[in-house]
Amino acid sequence: MGEEIKKIGVLTSGGDAPGMNAAIRAVVRSSFYYGIEAVGIYRGFEGMIDGDFETLDVRSVNHILGKGGTVLKSARCLDFYHSDVRAKAADKLRHAGIDAVVTIGGNGTFTGAKLLSEEQNIPVIGVPGTIDNDLHGSDYTIGFDTANNVVLEAIDNIRNTAMSHNRLFFVEVMGRESGYIAAFTGLASGAFGILIPEKESSFEELIEKLDTGRKNGKTSSIVVVAEGNKWGGAYKIKQMIKEKASHYDAKVSILGHTQRGGVPTCFDRILASRLGVAAVEGLKYGKTGVMAGVIKNEIKYTSFEDAIEFKDYVDDEIVRVAEILSI
Ligand code: F6P
């Protein structure tokens, strides 16, 4: 066991994710439970550099459990890639008496967290908060389930209008490097096709399949497209259709940031609560440089390095099942 932790700083960083507030609440309340003071660090690493801190007492996190976004605000802080900036941030932490940090976020957040813990010898534990679900070391990340449900509701709505007009829709969802949202919501919405960054797809085959579907009585179709898919965004695909398959009048719907703003689902609130507590307990028992995750329903700690390096990719089986069912 390391030195006794008396004050934990908590921050949210990178793209916000529904359930981050539930994780903040869990960190604050469990710190209090263990007699540790909790301090909110605003705007992620940006706020750490500026010393934008506020003591969070046990009541300060009342009623945030069910709110989307993050009360601590978030930022993508490129300056934190510089070691002199990290040293300055560490000084601010020491000056405020913060002797350990919980960072809630995704890949970029853990890259910064890893450097901070290694270089500055400050104990840091990460909590996976990203709608992308692309971190190794947790079966699911906080926000993924909520984002899926937001997308699903939108696709169900699009389905109604697509059916009324016998139309083909390309629905673009988030995921610059990750096809999780596209694959899960594609399967759950009965989409005709799924295009993800992890998988090559043939344009000719898609058109052939669409044509066959039309011949067999299919009147409307929805293709879910991850923003980082191999053909480019949904508008680029619409252009390809115009040029090579002009018998279709493709419509595009880009769901954008609405996917990040949903009310956290029961699943995300529970996941965030468990991981917030696991982060504080990990620090209390001397862990550092790791991300708390849930694997097969058990709390596990994975090094930042592995969490970032061994990025999890969408299970082929999800896409395969969606393909079988989309005839
Ligand atoms: O990292 C989560 C994520 O939502 C990605 O899926 C998406 O590509 C990106 O953030 C968008 O980030 P920003 O809001 O900074 O444009």
Side-chain angles (χ1 to χ4, degrees), residues 14-16 76 130-132 174-177 181 227 257 260:
D16 63 338
R76 298 191 193 274
T130 165
I131 63 166
D132 290 348
M174 277 189 170
R176 254 192 307 241
E177 288 164 15
I181 294 179
E227 61 182 328
H257 287 79
R260 290 224 301 248

Side-chain angles (χ1 to χ4, degrees), residues 79-144:
D79 278 353
F80 211 72
Y81 286 106
H82 302 289
S83 65
D84 54 327
V85 174
R86 290 193 293 275
K88 188 181 157 203
D91 282 347
K92 295 274 182 185
L93 292 175
R94 289 189 197 101
H95 186 71
I98 297 171
D99 39 28
V101 180
V102 175
T103 56
I104 306 166
N107 276 303
T109 306
F110 297 156
T111 306
K114 177 177 182 289
L115 292 167
L116 182 73
S117 67
E118 284 171 4
E119 274 176 14
Q120 299 296 328
N121 204 21
I122 293 176
V124 185
I125 292 197
V127 168
T130 165
I131 63 166
D132 290 348
N133 199 42
D134 57 349
L135 289 161
H136 177 72
S138 194
D139 289 341
Y140 296 104
T141 57
I142 297 163
F144 173 60

Side-chain angles (χ1 to χ4, degrees), residues 183 186-187 191-192 194 317-327:
L187 175 56
F192 183 78
I194 296 169
E317 208 241 349
I318 297 284
V319 181
R320 198 179 67 82
V321 169
E323 270 167 16
I324 291 174
L325 301 179
S326 69
I327 43 172

Side-chain angles (χ1 to χ4, degrees), residues 39-62:
V39 175
I41 301 170
Y42 285 93
R43 298 175 290 116
F45 293 115
E46 245 177 51
M48 188 186 285
I49 298 163
D50 296 343
D52 194 358
F53 306 147
E54 186 185 344
T55 300
L56 299 175
D57 68 33
V58 82
R59 296 270 77 84
S60 66
V61 289
N62 282 357

